Amino acid sequence: MSEPAHGLDVAIRLLDPRLAGWGFPRWGSALAAGLDLHACLDAETPILPQAPAILIPAGFALAIRDPGWCAMVYPRSGLGHRDGLVLGNTVGVIDADYEGPLMISAWNRNPPGSAAIPVRPGERVAQLVFTRVVRPSLRVVEAFPELEAEAGARGAGGFGSTGRG
């Protein structure tokens, strides 16, 4: 492992010994943001189009334990764009106090009638990104103070209220 980034030191407990043979833990390149997550399956598993998401064990647990950090599970862009394999929950959030087994919620977004997406044991199916967490103090108010027009006040305009282009 490399030196801790920004003082973050995360302990990883391997739950599946095959991960060591698959090269875990490692980033795909020197500048990659996401740590590769492998499918710790015992056999190839087809993910049917539009069927409920399946949970794929990532084969490890981690201990972040710093409330200023969390980890986020994202799909791998090539699998999502090219093949249609995405996360059933879009993004998984691993809180600093969660130390159980990591699971990957995998979903085949392709239309019914499309081919199943086979997931093989050891295949890199998702990525884990560590990021800072800010927990602001929240206060309940009756109304928001008025914003000056040049400050970009949008009011209750909602989605698309700033126009196109």
Side-chain angles (χ1 to χ4, degrees):
M1 295 293 305
S2 59
E3 289 294 313
H6 305 287
L8 181 64
D9 182 31
V10 176
I12 294 178
R13 188 168 49 99
L14 296 185
L15 304 174
D16 189 320
R18 297 176 296 177
L19 283 173
W22 294 331
F24 180 83
R26 74 165 174 255
W27 280 262
S29 72
L31 298 179
L35 177 68
D36 291 333
L37 299 181
H38 298 264
C40 290
L41 298 167
D42 292 329
E44 183 175 296
T45 302
I47 302 178
L48 302 173
Q50 296 294 313
I54 68 163
L55 288 176
I56 299 173
F60 71 101
L62 51 79
I64 299 172
R65 297 187 178 173
D66 182 333
W69 289 86
C70 75
M72 303 185 94
V73 180
Y74 292 102
R76 293 190 67 229
S77 54
L79 289 175
H81 178 74
R82 181 188 61 241
D83 300 335
L85 182 65
V86 296
L87 299 184
N89 57 342
T90 64
V91 174
V93 177
I94 312 301
D95 295 312
D97 60 350
Y98 178 73
E99 296 181 9
L102 266 67
M103 302 294 282
I104 302 159
S105 175
W107 183 61
N108 181 341
R109 68 170 169 78
N110 292 314
S114 299
I117 298 172
V119 178
R120 295 164 190 85
E123 185 174 359
R124 294 174 298 138
V125 293
Q127 55 188 323
L128 187 71
V129 175
F130 293 90
T131 189
R132 295 257 189 206
V133 173
V134 176
R135 295 186 69 186
S137 57
L138 303 174
R139 58 189 164 78
V140 177
V141 297
E142 292 294 322
F144 296 122
E146 291 294 321
L147 285 177
E148 296 178 28
E150 61 271 6
R154 292 173 52 184
F159 293 114
S161 65
T162 62
R164 292 183 96 171

